[in-house]
Amino acid sequence: MKTHTALRRVLGGLLGTAAIAAATLAVTAADAALAPQTASAASVPGGPIAASEVLDRAQYWADQGYTYLNSSDRGTWRTGPAGSDRYRRDCSGLLSMAWNLGEGSYDTTVYEKWIGGRLTRLSGFDALRPGDAVLRVGLEKLSNHVELFSHWKDPADHAQGGYFYSFNSPGETVRTPYAASNFGNRGFHTLSSLAQNYEYAVRYDGVVDAGGAGGSGSVPTGTAADVNLDGIDDVLAKDAAGDVWAYPRTTSGSWGTRYRVGTGFDGTDGLNIADVTLDGRPDLIVRFTGNGSLRVFPHTGSTTSPYTGNGALIGTGFGGFDALNFADVTLDGRPDLAARTPGGEIRLFTHTGDAGAPYAGGGTVIGTGFTGFDAVNFADVSRDGRPDLVVRAANGDLRLFAHTGNPSAPYAGNGSLIGTGFTSFTGLLFGDMNRDGNTDLIARAANGDLKTFPHSGSTTSPYGGQGTLIGTGWAGMTDLD
């Protein structure tokens, strides 16, 4: 597969408790209204709950169009997406419903009393994660109030503010991160306004993953690329010492002699291959762990020394994303950057056409609800020349979100199942290993074995069988691409 669909490693395991059905995509312009995924009901009242489900439940009330009404009349209360427990239609009721606390008369004073017990007071508002809350009780002349935190506008720069779910005024619908209420208000605060208007940032102890990366270990993903410019997909791998190696494939389908193409990459947390400089050759892109910056190492044109020097800075502030992927999502012949937040949003940074400044702005949300998958990839699995979105669930299922052909709305629906039983693999790549023009799946087992699953030619069942062993000794590689 010779396209700009170069993938990168998923830098952390994702929240494993979200249902697959929660991966419904919604397409929008950046920060414009979108329709988040259908709410799931994986928890029980008073039990552990995933941060992704907390946000799903809050969105459910927003979708129903419920309006604020602070009343003790339980006939006016409303249920969550499942079950018979009813909750008061005010700020405390919205939060208790979202956290699935079970029916009860919760208010801000109750939450304040819980601090040190069921609620942990965070070190500051900057520490908020999806599913947390901000609270004030008796603060100056302000009314008591609580709001549910969704996500930061820029995960790498919290000063830009964050998005919330909240019930605020009588007759007003829920303010959300995605759309204004019927009063024209959206759920958003700057970091400074939080400090001025709230006393506490708190975390409910029942939220089992509080928006973090979850899981234990990384799952490298990627797309093979023609590093030595011979027309055959090769594989790059980084070892624990920070050395990057090229593993060339030959015309016979075997491996050539590996060779080192870079050193000193121990301070990075991923490899990416994409033609960012638009010269027809695959460049190397890495993210540095210390500051979240992206640097590109343009391909030199040399088959033996393709990447040299210190690279060029092409982006900053990407430290808060848990997956970075390069693919021509907009179908204009240039590799776009798709980045996923810990809250499950996929944001698209469209290539500007400027090789020196390829990515700008805050990106556009092209998907939500992707917190239940521990690997994310883009590859042309459906054989139509467009990059599809492929994810692996915690149970080992592979799901395909076929590219729609619409650059503005590239992915939709809940995806289709294209494979099962891939739980044990610790790396997933895509590339044309047998040179038949189709995208094969390459999987690394925990013992270091590398297997290929040739594309069957079927777009509904592309990968089957037990795979074919094509290499051993890959366990020590910390990243693959």
Side-chain angles (χ1 to χ4, degrees):
M1 179 184 64
K2 299 298 183 290
T3 70
H4 295 304
T5 55
L7 245 306
R8 56 100 36 251
R9 143 188 195 184
V10 172
L11 302 173
L14 305 192
L15 311 179
T17 55
I20 289 175
T24 301
L25 291 171
V27 180
T28 179
D31 291 336
L34 57 88
Q37 66 276 12
T38 302
S40 58
S43 64
V44 296
I49 184 171
S52 56
E53 188 188 344
V54 170
L55 301 182
D56 287 349
R57 291 174 65 86
Q59 182 63 40
Y60 173 79
W61 266 23
D63 292 340
Q64 303 312 302
Y66 296 151
T67 56
Y68 181 104
L69 178 64
N70 185 336
S71 172
S72 59
D73 179 3
R74 298 202 177 203
T76 66
W77 294 12
R78 295 293 181 264
T79 65
S84 59
D85 290 322
R86 302 171 72 86
Y87 304 87
R88 195 174 57 244
R89 289 156 41 203
D90 60 9
C91 63
S92 298
L94 173 64
L95 184 63
S96 62
M97 184 279 299
W99 280 346
N100 203 4
L101 297 180
E103 187 168 329
S105 297
Y106 307 98
D107 60 29
T108 52
T109 59
V110 171
Y111 294 139
E112 186 179 41
K113 292 176 181 178
W114 283 3
I115 295 175
R118 300 182 71 179
L119 296 181
T120 298
R121 184 175 185 178
L122 305 179
S123 58
F125 297 102
D126 186 59
L128 286 166
R129 295 178 181 175
D132 293 339
V134 294
L135 172 69
R136 66 174 181 244
V137 180
L139 178 64
E140 297 179 347
K141 296 182 180 180
L142 297 174
S143 60
N144 296 350
H145 190 54
V146 66
E147 297 192 2
L148 174 66
F149 179 71
S150 174
H151 62 279
W152 295 107
K153 181 176 182 179
D154 183 346
D157 184 9
H158 294 180
Q160 293 190 29
Y163 293 98
F164 292 78
Y165 286 94
S166 65
F167 247 152
N168 295 73
S169 302
E172 186 177 16
T173 56
V174 177
R175 299 181 186 181
T176 82
Y178 309 105
S181 70
N182 62 336
F183 286 7
N185 300 311
R186 194 167 174 195
F188 179 81
H189 294 288
T190 63
L191 190 60
S192 60
S193 71
L194 288 174
Q196 294 170 2
N197 293 289
Y198 292 90
E199 294 174 275
Y200 311 107
V202 296
R203 179 165 300 149
Y204 171 45
D205 65 6
V207 179
V208 294
D209 47 25
S216 57
S218 304
V219 181
T221 67
T223 299
D226 182 15
V227 174
N228 63 0
L229 307 180
D230 64 354
I232 305 172
D233 281 343
D234 310 310
V235 173
L236 287 186
K238 184 182 76 173
D239 63 25
D243 292 346
V244 178
W245 300 85
Y247 291 79
R249 296 286 286 175
T250 68
T251 55
S252 65
S254 61
W255 296 106
T257 302
R258 77 168 188 169
Y259 57 98
R260 185 161 35 212
V261 298
T263 61
F265 285 89
D266 48 315
T268 66
D269 60 3
L271 300 180
N272 304 268
I273 299 293
D275 182 18
V276 172
T277 56
L278 307 179
D279 62 359
R281 299 188 292 249
D283 307 314
L284 171 64
I285 308 100
V286 298
R287 177 173 68 174
F288 284 82
T289 57
N291 58 13
S293 65
L294 296 182
R295 299 188 75 85
V296 62
F297 295 78
H299 198 292
T300 63
S302 168
T303 59
T304 56
S305 300
Y307 310 113
T308 60
N310 296 319
L313 182 69
I314 59 169
T316 60
F318 284 89
F321 295 102
D322 63 15
L324 300 176
N325 310 275
F326 289 83
D328 182 16
V329 175
T330 54
L331 307 179
D332 60 0
R334 300 189 291 251
D336 307 310
L337 168 58
R340 185 185 54 190
T341 70
E345 281 188 347
I346 296 181
R347 300 189 71 87
L348 186 70
F349 297 80
T350 303
H351 197 293
T352 62
D354 182 349
Y359 308 109
T364 300
V365 178
I366 62 170
T368 62
F370 282 85
T371 53
F373 305 101
D374 65 358
V376 177
N377 232 319
F378 289 79
D380 180 18
V381 176
S382 57
R383 305 176 63 209
D384 58 4
R386 301 188 291 250
D388 308 312
L389 172 58
V390 185
V391 295
R392 181 178 71 174
N395 65 355
D397 288 353
L398 295 183
R399 298 192 72 82
L400 173 73
F401 295 80
H403 197 293
T404 62
N406 182 353
S408 299
Y411 309 107
N414 294 320
S416 58
L417 183 67
I418 60 168
T420 61
F422 286 90
T423 308
S424 63
F425 291 105
T426 61
L428 296 174
L429 311 176
F430 287 94
D432 185 7
M433 292 290 99
N434 58 9
R435 305 181 65 208
D436 65 354
N438 293 325
T439 304
D440 308 316
L441 172 62
I442 307 104
R444 181 183 64 178
N447 66 356
D449 286 354
L450 202 66
K451 289 187 172 184
T452 182
F453 295 80
H455 197 294
S456 66
S458 167
T459 58
T460 57
S461 301
Y463 308 113
Q466 301 301 310
T468 301
L469 184 68
I470 60 171
T472 60
W474 292 73
M477 296 299 175
T478 60
D479 199 5
L480 305 172
D481 211 296

